[in-house]
Amino acid sequence: MSVTAIVGAQWGDEGKGKIIDELAARTDFVVRYQGGGNAGHRVVHGGREFAFHLVPAGILHPNVTCVIGNGVVVDPRGLLAELAMLREMGVGLDRFFISERAHVVMPYHFVLDRLEEESRGVEKIGTVMRGIGPAYVDKYARTGIRMADLLDADQFRAKLATALAQKNRMITQIYGQSPLSLEEIHTEYFGYAQQLRRFIADTEGMLQKAVADGRSILLEGAQGALLDVDFGTYPFVTASSTVAGNASTGAGLPLRGIRQVLGIYKAYITRVGSGPMPTELFNGEGDALREAGHEYGTTTGRPRRCGWFDAVSGRFVARLNGFDSIAVMKLDVLDTLPTLKICTSYRLGETALSVPPANLNDLAACEPVYEEWPGWQTPTSGAAGWDDLPENAHRYLRRIEELLETPLALVSVGPGRGETIHLRELNV
Ligand code: IMP
């Protein structure tokens, strides 16, 4: 039995979905613990590509029970569209559950996400416009609506009336837009609740029993640690806690149940949205990485900002999450490059920094200090084991491992299932 948290270690899009999909073959449960429809993973099935945002990345395995945990914010309309896609793919949904404590992303959250972003002007965060920030604001303001509320028509109406009165004041008086209709929202969302009713359950109890029964569980993080609301590049972050510490709260499992934490890094780094990114490449090298790595957002299609591997933020994140081991993804994207760089410290004026500063202006002023490593200029995508990788790839990966002070467990050399080199047993 084992509970493993899988955490993005950069600004999201590291390839968590692929690793979860592979490890899920050996697990009983996959549980999302935070975020919402802002996340995205692509799944190739029967020669067609599908994009999922809420359903955990284990759903294509008939042995796995997939859970949307209490820490997630759920857009019922988006979720129903994903479930319809799964039915179309012939995937059974009798092993899919949503926590009754998960908060609902309501139509006014989408509206406010857009209006708030527009009002930020040049300071915009670059949110994915899925209502995530406003939904978490309501959760903590204690005006949120949870899945359990949605199932009870009267309770839902009462909570919606209170929340909507306040939101409509914001929408009309602050932003000068038209108010939303209580009746329309109530009818539409109560209708969604009827379609989702069979999936809504006491998932915390289900997972606690699974742990007691010795079942294995993967806790699936969304986004990445550099987007964490406490430890990321605040305020250019997402609205939830993305780090391993929140995996327990967001799934409803006791802390001591989590046996290992696996950190997922890309062999370089990417970011979508605004905010400082010390190793960003603005030249043709960045464009080359974007094209080679198909670095365009799954949720929005936006081009991702690309840069060299940043071991300063990488080590900060490894320590913060207490990674037991790490995966390095998309190594093959670097195959053609003659020289690679790894950022080993930041320079802020005359000062060398080994951890990212909390002050955003300081972070924005940091210059990366690089080490150069020779590329391997050989295809790695067919490599089945460590010994199949070129010597220069070994040196690059071993240096990352050393700088992150964490053992390397997995190296991904292609998008497909099986294109992953296992260096150590993960015991999931
Ligand atoms: P929000 O999560 O939509 O509020 O967006 C806040 C920031 O997080 C923006 O910079 C987004 O681009 C970024 N973000 C949100 N979800 C993801 C993700 O799944 N991958 C990468 N970036 C994300």
Side-chain angles (χ1 to χ4, degrees):
M1 157 336 252
S2 142
V3 181
T4 305
I6 302 201
V7 178
Q10 294 162 328
W11 279 289
D13 309 313
E14 300 90 354
K16 298 175 289 294
K18 174 187 156 166
I19 294 301
I20 290 162
D21 178 58
E22 282 191 9
L23 296 179
R26 303 190 254 147
T27 42
D28 301 309
F29 288 82
V30 177
V31 187
R32 268 285 297 273
Y33 62 83
Q34 44 72 228
N38 48 354
H41 55 260
R42 292 197 179 95
V43 177
V44 179
H45 185 84
R48 286 174 66 196
E49 191 169 292
F50 297 85
F52 290 101
H53 303 281
L54 277 161
V55 176
I59 195 74
L60 297 184
H61 292 272
N63 55 306
V64 175
T65 300
C66 285
V67 173
I68 293 184
N70 55 283
V72 177
V73 291
V74 180
D75 158 28
R77 189 196 331 215
L79 176 60
L80 282 164
E82 287 181 32
L83 298 181
M85 240 190 297
L86 286 164
R87 282 195 195 94
E88 193 201 316
M89 292 160 78
V91 177
L93 295 176
D94 50 333
R95 299 161 293 100
F96 171 68
F97 299 96
I98 311 163
S99 167
E100 50 197 352
R101 290 185 161 80
H103 279 247
V104 183
V105 183
M106 299 298 293
Y108 41 83
H109 295 138
F110 283 86
V111 171
L112 287 169
D113 202 358
R114 179 175 54 80
L115 293 172
E116 284 166 3
E117 267 293 84
E118 283 167 10
S119 76
R120 288 184 187 114
V122 292
E123 300 281 288
K124 77 174 174 12
I125 296 168
T127 79
V128 304
M129 302 280 179
R130 297 290 173 117
I132 305 304
Y136 277 111
V137 165
D138 275 7
K139 171 171 175 170
Y140 290 100
R142 287 148 296 173
T143 49
I145 294 173
R146 307 202 291 182
M147 295 311 295
D149 304 321
L150 214 56
L151 294 176
D152 177 326
D154 294 337
Q155 184 166 315
F156 175 36
R157 178 180 291 276
K159 292 206 167 214
L160 179 61
T162 309
L164 191 62
Q166 184 210 36
K167 300 303 168 192
N168 272 342
R169 276 200 299 280
M170 289 169 74
I171 291 169
T172 57
Q173 292 173 22
I174 299 178
Y175 296 108
Q177 305 281 313
S178 307
L180 305 185
S181 150
L182 184 131
E183 283 315 318
E184 280 175 22
I185 297 177
H186 189 268
T187 307
E188 183 182 346
Y189 278 69
F190 191 63
Y192 295 149
Q194 301 323 302
Q195 295 177 64
L196 292 174
R197 185 178 286 276
R198 57 178 272 230
F199 305 114
I200 300 171
D202 167 16
T203 58
E204 301 80 57
M206 181 188 297
L207 293 171
Q208 288 156 16
K209 179 169 183 316
V211 172
D213 291 348
R215 317 287 296 278
S216 70
I217 300 175
L218 296 182
L219 302 175
E220 173 184 347
Q223 291 84 45
L226 298 176
L227 288 170
D228 181 89
V229 70
D230 281 277
F231 299 104
T233 46
Y234 191 89
F236 299 101
V237 292
T238 193
S240 63
S241 174
T242 60
V243 295
N246 186 41
S248 143
T249 312
L253 279 176
L255 264 180
R256 68 170 183 277
I258 300 179
R259 290 296 165 85
Q260 59 181 340
V261 184
L262 172 65
I264 315 287
Y265 293 82
K266 236 176 324 209
Y268 47 100
I269 201 164
T270 62
R271 169 164 210 175
V272 269
S274 328
M277 177 178 174
T279 64
E280 180 166 13
L281 290 166
F282 296 98
N283 49 21
E285 285 170 314
D287 298 336
L289 278 178
R290 184 175 311 109
E291 293 317 310
H294 310 290
E295 296 293 355
Y296 294 89
T298 310
T299 306
T300 58
R302 286 182 292 179
R304 295 180 185 140
R305 301 156 65 190
C306 297
W308 295 121
F309 190 89
D310 180 350
V312 178
S313 64
R315 186 173 47 236
F316 169 72
V317 162
R319 289 177 180 169
L320 191 61
N321 284 279
F323 291 148
D324 296 289
S325 54
I326 58 168
V328 173
M329 311 298 292
K330 290 187 140 182
L331 185 75
D332 55 304
V333 171
L334 305 180
D335 281 352
T336 59
L337 300 180
T339 309
L340 306 170
K341 291 184 185 172
I342 300 177
C343 168
T344 52
S345 63
Y346 297 159
R347 196 172 37 241
L348 179 62
E350 297 301 302
T351 315
L353 300 180
S354 59
V355 287
N359 180 302
L360 198 80
N361 290 339
D362 286 349
L363 181 60
C366 280
E367 293 287 333
V369 177
Y370 288 119
E371 269 177 11
E372 286 202 356
W373 288 82
W376 43 93
Q377 297 188 283
T378 317
T380 57
S381 35
W386 177 253
D387 293 342
D388 300 326
L389 291 176
E391 186 52 34
N392 283 350
H394 287 175
R395 293 170 67 198
Y396 182 71
L397 291 166
R398 288 299 182 207
R399 182 61 179 147
I400 287 178
E401 185 179 43
E402 182 180 38
L403 288 165
L404 301 188
E405 304 163 338
T406 315
L408 179 64
L410 304 171
V411 180
S412 174
V413 290
R417 268 186 198 169
E419 288 181 299
T420 311
I421 296 168
H422 291 248
L423 280 82
R424 47 171 45 220
E425 186 46 55
L426 276 173
N427 200 16
V428 291

